[in-house]
């Protein structure tokens, strides 16, 4: 069985939303899933909606301070020493759940989380996501190469994805 290094066959492409309709399309997605949101998801989404203007951003800390009742991330209940850090982790998890489980396009940049107002914001986010993905993949390949060399263990996935050395010679 041949493994393809092209991940495009694993992605489901959708028809792009016309630029003028980004805000409306986002509002429709939100309306379609709002009833299925948990209380924490609904609270975070409500905060994001209250800042839904061009340039409106909320940091993890803004959200955590505004919704102190969110509490600890589920993996840290009863073990956490710094509740603020765990709450930030919980905020990141809620944002991830809004994106993955409900399809809400919560974007982020260095200034915080936000809902898209323009197609340019969406494009910037996707370009940044690609840049992060490429950097992470390159880093994993370098790590794999070092571990392969040290441990003498190979892996079909990493060998199929690239030349197996991550560019490190």
């Amino acid at each position: 069985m041949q493994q393809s290094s092209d991940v495009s066959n694993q992605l489901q492409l959708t028809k792009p939303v016309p630029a003028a309709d980004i805000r409306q399309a986002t509002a429709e997605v939100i309306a379609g899933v709002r009833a299925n949101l948990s209380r924490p998801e609904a609270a975070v989404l409500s905060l994001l909606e209250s800042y839904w203007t061009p340039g409106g951003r909320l940091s993890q800390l803004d959200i955590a301070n505004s919704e102190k009742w969110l509490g600890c991330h589920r993996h840290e209940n009863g073990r956490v020493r710094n509740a603020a850090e765990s709450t930030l982790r919980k905020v990141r998890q809620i944002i991830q759940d809004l994106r993955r489980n409900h399809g809400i396009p919560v974007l982020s940049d260095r200034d915080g989380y936000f809902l898209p107002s323009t197609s340019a914001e969406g494009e910037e986010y996707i370009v940044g996501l690609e840049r992060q993905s490429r950097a992470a993949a390159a880093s994993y390949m370098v790590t794999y190469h070092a571990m392969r060399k040290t441990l003498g263990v190979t892996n079909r996935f990493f060998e199929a994805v690239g030349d197996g050395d991550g560019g490190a010679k």
Side-chain angles (χ1 to χ4, degrees):
M1 181 169 95
Q2 180 183 7
Q3 290 184 334
S4 171
S5 62
D6 179 10
V7 295
S8 63
N9 62 351
Q10 298 173 18
L11 301 175
Q12 179 181 350
L13 300 177
T14 58
K15 182 180 175 192
V17 176
D21 297 333
I22 293 292
R23 189 177 171 98
Q24 179 62 34
T26 300
E28 289 172 7
V29 168
I30 291 170
V33 300
R34 190 178 301 277
N36 299 324
L37 299 178
S38 67
R39 182 174 175 232
E41 290 168 343
V44 170
L45 178 59
S46 179
L47 280 172
L48 289 167
E49 288 176 302
S50 70
Y51 280 79
W52 197 358
T53 60
R57 305 289 192 269
L58 281 169
S59 71
Q60 291 175 22
L61 193 56
D62 292 334
I63 295 169
N65 286 336
S66 191
E67 303 295 332
K68 292 181 190 286
W69 59 270
L70 288 175
C72 294
H73 187 272
R74 67 181 175 270
H75 295 301
E76 296 177 342
N77 279 335
R79 300 184 306 169
V80 68
R81 293 190 182 148
N82 184 341
E85 282 299 314
S86 181
T87 301
L88 293 178
R89 183 175 177 187
K90 176 125 184 184
V91 167
R92 288 190 299 272
Q93 182 64 54
I94 291 168
I95 295 293
Q96 182 180 43
D97 291 346
L98 289 171
R99 289 170 171 164
R100 291 183 181 175
N101 299 342
H102 303 290
I104 299 172
V106 178
L107 308 184
S108 58
D109 60 18
R110 294 177 193 264
D111 296 322
Y113 297 111
F114 60 100
L115 296 170
S117 294
T118 67
S119 61
E121 289 175 334
E123 290 169 12
E124 284 179 34
Y125 177 76
I126 295 300
V127 166
L129 188 62
E130 178 187 2
R131 188 173 31 252
Q132 289 174 342
S133 298
R134 287 179 182 272
S139 176
Y140 290 137
M141 290 304 292
V142 169
T143 301
Y144 169 69
H145 172 67
M147 295 300 105
R148 182 183 72 180
K149 182 177 177 183
T150 303
L151 302 174
V153 176
T154 60
N155 178 277
R156 287 192 329 226
F157 170 79
F158 283 106
E159 295 296 326
V161 167
D163 60 2
D165 69 3
K169 299 250 185 234

